[in-house]
Amino acid sequence: MANKQEQEHLWWHEGVIYQIYPRSFQDSDGDGIGDLKGIISRLDYLKWLGVTAIWVSPIYPSPMADFGYDISDYCGIHPMFGTMGDFDDLLQQVHTRDMKLILDLVPNHTSNEHPWFQESKSSRDNPKRDWYIWKDPAEDGSEPNNWLSVFGGSGWEWDENTQQYYYHAFLKEQPDLNWRNPEVQEAIFDVMRFWLDKGIDGFRVDVMWHMIKDDKFRDNPPNPDYKEHMSTYEKVVPAYSTDQPEVHDIVAKMRKVTNDYDARVLIGEIYLPIHRLVTYYGHDNTGVHLPFNFMLVSEDWDARKLSMKIDEYEGAIPPGGWPNWVIGNHDQPRISSRVGHSQSKVAGMLLLTLRGTPTMYYGDEIGMRDVPIPPEEVQDPQGLNMPDKDLSRDPERTPMQWDNSENAGFTEGKPWLRLPDNFRRVNVEVQRDDNFSMLTYYRRLIKLRQEEPALHIGDYAPVVSKDSLLSFIRKYEDRQFLIILNLTHKPCLFRAEHHTYKGKIVLATDPEREGMQIEKNISISGDEGIVVLLD
């Protein structure tokens, strides 16, 4: 019988979320693109790995201008991924294995081929005109303001037919919905209910901080820190086009919809500094359960800086709020490409031992790296629209590497993106029975985390040590773990001030160290991480 404190924790407090990019996980029909049946065929692997929840990137009908983040029907399945029957089967198979399924919700914008937008742009007096953001030109005939598109160029697109501009924070094929319109709100809440009624376990909400814009449409201020290598979007600070105070009313309404169902999670994609990020928990925790925390993605890989930031985050979370951590996703370079192969084990240990829900990205558990994509094969609109900036997200979206057969066991056809040259060495099959592989290491880390309440729901306390070391304690009742991570390639000595730690190494990046007793000074190799069960 679980004790009271454990019972108070919900599945997303205790579990590990695994993101699947459906185009790239497993192809079942030979067209070179992953699909729902492919995911179903790999569920036993995910169960074996130990993850408890799967988040699937968009699978809805879409013209695929932005690979599914331009939705033309919120309540359907793109034929490329399968049928609604396949989805129902996936949901049932996930639940049969005692796992959870989280879907991507994209409420900020639709496809320009969505029936809502087709109606909205048909005339100025169409009942759905106000479902999107339409503005007259400025007095001199130019665009309404200086807002830019994340994917390059202006955020405004001229419509010749109705002689107005519409706003798109992303591609012109992704017009932004007008979330100040109650009809839009209700339409999306109905979409949420459609999937929740089917039995999904929650949503990851795309670009949540973009959903409401300044009602006066003021110009964004110039960014004094802009450099030429940066995305053109960063020329201005999106002070008026994102993160408006009224967004929190919308988030609270979304949470209310979710609350009508038992134990469902709401996760927000929000790239903001900590003090603004935590406001998305909402007043008295009536916002999202988990505002995605991308600190381990965006901060320098430096022990002192990260240690400071982790403490700042821990201190900023409101009472009753729950932390979360991410080291990679479909929009960011892979962790092993960012911090290097030798540090990626350390990063995995950090992700899975910090307090809060960890979200993994498919393939990180086998050490997949960004794959160089030749210019003529680039498919990502962000890369195509700013070709000289090297901003394509294709390298981190390449197919999962399953085995050493042709195309790594991902497809019998031609994969939609190329595989790396070394996939025959870096794949699930090769690593599965190798005690020293990344996969074995990840599986053991997840297992330890899930078996020890101290590591999944326990308290966090920082431990001050050397510049190159990041160390902290996780504690639950009488069990305490000391985690020491060397974020550099140089060996060093762990000496804690004013305290002597004594215990046994239960998990290490180098398994040879496991079982060793430690006391006082602890020698730490470069690129090493250890988990110590304290006496």
Side-chain angles (χ1 to χ4, degrees):
M1 181 73 185
N3 70 30
K4 185 170 184 300
Q5 191 176 344
E6 277 186 89
Q7 282 176 325
E8 281 170 8
H9 287 87
L10 291 152
W11 60 265
W12 62 84
H13 295 140
E14 300 180 359
V16 176
I17 301 171
Y18 184 99
Q19 181 192 357
I20 289 176
Y21 193 68
R23 294 179 74 88
S24 297
F25 199 60
Q26 179 66 56
D27 174 25
S28 71
D29 59 10
D31 66 356
I33 293 170
D35 47 45
L36 295 175
K37 282 184 171 160
I39 297 173
I40 293 167
S41 73
R42 297 296 187 181
L43 290 177
D44 287 340
Y45 162 75
L46 295 173
K47 183 71 180 169
W48 171 85
L49 181 60
V51 298
T52 54
I54 300 158
W55 151 35
V56 181
S57 292
I59 47 178
Y60 314 102
S62 161
M64 293 287 165
D66 185 25
F67 295 113
Y69 283 92
D70 51 319
I71 295 170
S72 53
D73 175 5
Y74 282 105
C75 297
I77 300 292
H78 195 299
M80 180 201 298
F81 297 127
T83 64
M84 190 59 83
D86 295 333
F87 174 80
D88 293 337
D89 188 22
L90 171 65
L91 184 59
Q92 190 198 342
Q93 298 271 7
V94 167
H95 287 164
T96 300
R97 288 167 179 78
D98 198 25
M99 293 157 77
K100 306 289 184 185
L101 184 64
I102 298 164
L103 283 192
D104 225 310
L105 181 70
V106 187
N108 178 68
H109 47 262
T110 67
S111 163
N112 61 341
E113 293 182 22
H114 195 294
W116 298 345
F117 187 70
Q118 291 296 311
E119 278 191 57
S120 181
K121 73 169 199 158
S122 65
S123 74
R124 285 199 186 199
D125 52 10
N126 184 279
K128 285 198 169 63
R129 183 66 170 183
D130 193 42
W131 281 43
Y132 294 83
I133 297 169
W134 293 95
K135 298 296 284 180
D136 287 328
E139 282 179 21
D140 64 358
S142 63
E143 292 163 1
N145 63 24
N146 70 348
W147 296 359
L148 297 173
S149 159
V150 174
F151 291 155
S154 167
W156 295 99
E157 181 71 10
W158 178 249
D159 177 57
E160 192 58 42
N161 179 38
T162 59
Q163 296 286 296
Q164 276 189 319
Y165 285 96
Y166 67 85
Y167 176 66
H168 56 93
F170 297 88
L171 296 174
K172 68 178 193 300
E173 293 85 358
Q174 294 169 290
D176 280 40
L177 283 163
N178 175 17
W179 269 90
R180 293 181 182 276
N181 183 333
E183 290 178 13
V184 168
Q185 297 175 22
E186 278 311 312
I188 295 291
F189 300 156
D190 283 345
V191 168
M192 292 173 71
R193 292 182 190 106
F194 173 85
W195 293 104
L196 291 165
D197 287 342
K198 275 191 169 287
I200 70 154
D201 300 287
F203 292 104
R204 172 265 189 192
V205 183
D206 187 59
V207 299
M208 180 175 267
W209 82 111
H210 274 266
M211 284 169 60
I212 291 258
K213 287 77 175 163
D214 174 48
D215 58 356
K216 296 188 183 73
F217 292 90
R218 287 169 280 195
D219 275 352
N220 280 324
N223 178 4
D225 302 321
Y226 179 72
K227 308 273 187 304
E228 268 313 305
H229 69 273
M230 292 158 79
S231 158
T232 54
Y233 175 68
E234 296 183 70
K235 284 182 176 176
V236 295
V237 176
Y240 293 113
S241 50
T242 66
D243 194 33
Q244 298 304 294
E246 301 95 323
V247 74
H248 299 293
D249 300 335
I250 301 297
V251 175
K253 288 178 182 178
M254 289 181 138
R255 171 66 174 266
K256 220 164 165 231
V257 172
T258 316
N259 283 352
D260 287 340
Y261 299 79
D262 193 35
R264 303 297 207 276
V265 71
L266 202 56
I267 303 169
E269 184 198 22
I270 302 152
Y271 284 91
L272 288 174
I274 291 169
H275 66 283
R276 284 160 66 190
L277 173 74
V278 295
T279 61
Y280 284 77
Y281 283 105
H283 179 63
D284 290 337
N285 291 298
T286 53
V288 283
H289 298 98
L290 303 175
F292 259 153
N293 162 23
F294 295 113
M295 184 197 302
L296 302 181
V297 170
S298 54
E299 286 297 321
D300 293 341
W301 200 247
D302 174 275
R304 180 162 278 200
K305 284 183 189 169
L306 279 178
S307 197
M308 238 168 59
K309 283 285 184 186
I310 291 165
D311 292 346
E312 184 191 340
Y313 176 61
E314 277 279 350
I317 294 167
W322 187 253
N324 71 91
W325 299 92
V326 180
I327 56 171
N329 63 33
H330 61 290
D331 290 328
Q332 303 294 337
R334 283 190 176 273
I335 185 68
S336 54
S337 290
R338 278 204 323 275
V339 303
H341 183 71
S342 53
Q343 275 289 312
S344 54
K345 270 191 172 183
V346 175
M349 186 175 280
L350 181 60
L351 175 74
L352 290 159
T353 57
L354 278 169
R355 187 176 86 96
T357 306
T359 299
M360 296 169 54
Y361 185 48
Y362 83 95
D364 282 352
E365 74 272 22
I366 56 171
M368 276 173 65
R369 300 189 64 175
D370 289 356
V371 178
I373 306 293
E376 66 277 9
E377 292 177 26
V378 171
Q379 303 199 37
D380 175 32
Q382 182 168 286
L384 294 170
N385 290 355
M386 295 177 269
D388 52 332
K389 305 262 185 187
D390 198 19
L391 292 171
S392 170
R393 297 165 296 176
D394 292 337
E396 60 262 24
R397 297 176 174 184
T398 55
M400 180 67 176
Q401 295 155 213
W402 293 106
D403 56 40
N404 54 17
S405 68
E406 202 59 40
N407 299 324
F410 164 70
T411 181
E412 289 177 5
K414 181 178 188 285
W416 78 285
L417 283 174
R418 62 168 53 202
L419 287 140
D421 298 326
N422 68 355
F423 75 80
R424 286 187 167 83
R425 279 188 292 120
V426 183
N427 64 61
V428 169
E429 190 177 58
V430 165
Q431 294 190 17
R432 199 168 181 149
D433 300 320
D434 175 356
N435 290 336
F436 298 95
S437 72
M438 185 72 88
L439 180 58
T440 301
Y441 169 74
Y442 256 94
R443 185 174 180 238
R444 294 181 61 229
L445 249 176
I446 292 169
K447 187 168 185 285
L448 179 67
R449 183 188 189 280
Q450 297 304 85
E451 284 173 353
E452 292 288 350
L455 293 177
H456 61 251
I457 55 171
D459 294 333
Y460 160 91
V463 173
V464 177
S465 57
K466 273 223 165 102
D467 282 3
S468 54
L469 296 178
L470 176 56
S471 40
F472 52 92
I473 282 179
R474 298 296 310 282
K475 179 182 179 181
Y476 184 79
E477 291 178 348
D478 55 352
R479 274 175 94 74
Q480 287 194 71
F481 290 88
L482 169 66
I483 289 96
I484 307 172
L485 304 163
N486 186 349
L487 269 59
T488 70
H489 308 310
K490 284 182 173 176
C492 63
L493 200 59
F494 172 84
R495 280 195 197 92
E497 294 171 20
H498 321 302
H499 199 91
T500 299
Y501 293 104
K502 195 176 166 191
K504 182 172 85 168
I505 299 176
V506 289
L507 204 142
T509 45
D510 295 318
E512 291 86 351
R513 294 206 69 180
E514 289 165 13
M516 285 183 187
Q517 295 290 329
I518 60 108
E519 193 173 347
K520 280 192 181 169
N521 298 339
I522 308 167
S523 300
I524 303 287
S525 298
D527 308 312
E528 182 171 46
I530 58 173
V531 178
V532 181
L533 175 60
L534 296 175
D535 294 347

